[in-house]
Amino acid sequence: VTSESSFIALMRSLATDPAARNLLDDAAVIDLGNETLILTHDMLAEGVHWLPLADPADVAWKLVSVNLSDLAAKGARPLGVLLGFMLGDSDWDRHFAEGLKRVIEHYGAPLLGGDTVSNRGDKRALGLTAIGAATHKPVPSRAGARAGDVLYVTGTLGDALAGFELVEAGLEPPDMLSADRMASASKACFEIDITAIPLSAAYRAYRGDSRDSRLQAASWGDDYQLLFTAPEGAPLPVPAMAVGRVVEGAGLALFDGAERLPLPPTLGYQHG
Amino acid sequence: VTSESSFIALMRSLATDPAARNLLDDAAVIDLGNETLILTHDMLAEGVHWLPLADPADVAWKLVSVNLSDLAAKGARPLGVLLGFMLGDSDWDRHFAEGLKRVIEHYGAPLLGGDTVSNRGDKRALGLTAIGAATHKPVPSRAGARAGDVLYVTGTLGDALAGFELVEAGLEPPDMLSADRMASASKACFEIDITAIPLSAAYRAYRGDSRDSRLQAASWGDDYQLLFTAPEGAPLPVPAMAVGRVVEGAGLALFDGAERLPLPPTLGYQHG
């Protein structure tokens, strides 16, 4: 048991309000008047979620994307964001602010507030809270998949892995985590055909489309695509590609066409 | 110009949405459907906002209080909080979690979500987002004071200063900041009679009720009392004591009874 998982277990024991969804989803869902709010807070830490030499504008983009993808997964339109910023080198801070301006304008998620603290030489950690309004109800949940549903992904996977490796080699690529969490919450088994996993042309050129390449693209994460299920034949709310189906059972089952594959040792990147 | 004030100026240039109130208030105000949301995010940093030997449960209490006082200043009832937590020593983390449980139960502000990152030996920084629903409209603003209003405070000041000094001596006590910010936002002058500033019995016993003692109690901050104005004779929504009045002009004017006092060099504690 890591200190992180034991702390999260403590937090889960406090998070008894139904809006917290037992911390099993990545966002809280609050019914208020005739609206439903979606709230999420994600942090990024230097050296864990970004490399020291990363462009600060890219860090801003990632910080906002991580949070807005949680809203998107709930079908919410963003109302705005609050920034928790650790000050440091003023050039870094200014480039971060420029990146922040671009990303919040791109996604139409206005900056509403936040706070700053000085970091006095420590590695930086940044936090962002995103708030959104549900566009339809019920709000999608990780526990909503049903046997017979088709599993979809909204875009190509692997570019984040390739980008990372081009900057720094030597880390094990270890997100089929998302699919595993949905399967677990839905008490169902997700069968994924790795030959159906969409790869960008750039990723194919970088690593090819071998079984290993596809498994790695699917297990790295950080691509900020949505994974969702829908009944077979149902009209889709967004363009997406089928990558598998939901069956009775538990966990993930991977296939390369007809061939059943062993599960990789880890299903997603676990931060050290 | 500090790097913090220049960063905040950059953020203000981004925060053009009316809900951000130009970052002049401590909370964002979002109209949604038939409700009005209040959102705030405040951070605490080890060594800046708490001493390394502080009880982690007290740090949790302060982190929640700082944010809920921003909601209270807007007359909002809390809907819940999201925690951004930097993991470290697991005993510290556990005691923090125990304190968090007590404070969120005390204030009825359920934990709805958040995120954790490992801190790997750095000084910790913690963030909390609080969301509330307005209980009446218009939502009070710092800019709402009018000449002729009476200035009120909801409780005694000075205990935070005394507590801090009993733990660590040697820092200049420097929050009349709040009053100054309200006066500035309202384009009015706040006259404060320091003899009317309520002091707790414990603070009087610690430091006495001299002019210096009263000035220090009023300029330290961290007491989490509310400062507000109301027209003379208006019924008050909460028990409060009159400490001054609003007149035409700008800034603060301090009096010891009838005697006009010079302003102290700083109006509140400025974090280094």
Side-chain angles (χ1 to χ4, degrees), chain A residues 94-115:
Chain A
R94 198 177 62 251
H95 286 122
F96 177 91
E98 290 163 0
L100 184 68
K101 177 177 164 68
R102 282 199 295 275
V103 64
I104 66 176
E105 287 178 354
H106 180 80
Y107 288 116
L111 178 69
L112 299 181
D115 197 14

Side-chain angles (χ1 to χ4, degrees), chain A residues 4 34 37 43 115-116 129, chain B residues 4 32 34 43 115-116 129:
Chain A
E4 180 162 16
N34 51 358
L37 300 171
M43 300 171 77
D115 197 14
T116 57
T129 300
Chain B
E4 179 161 17
L32 182 68
N34 50 359
M43 301 171 77
D115 197 14
T116 57
T129 300

Side-chain angles (χ1 to χ4, degrees), chain B residues 46-47 50-56 58-59 92 167-168:
Chain B
E46 182 180 337
W50 80 84
L51 298 169
L53 291 177
D55 183 329
D58 291 342
V59 176
W92 201 97
V167 180
E168 172 165 313

Side-chain angles (χ1 to χ4, degrees), chain B residues 72-93:
Chain B
K74 298 283 165 249
R77 68 181 168 88
L79 295 170
V81 299
L82 290 89
L83 172 68
F85 190 76
M86 196 176 271
L87 291 157
D89 171 77
S90 59
D91 279 344
W92 201 97
D93 294 354

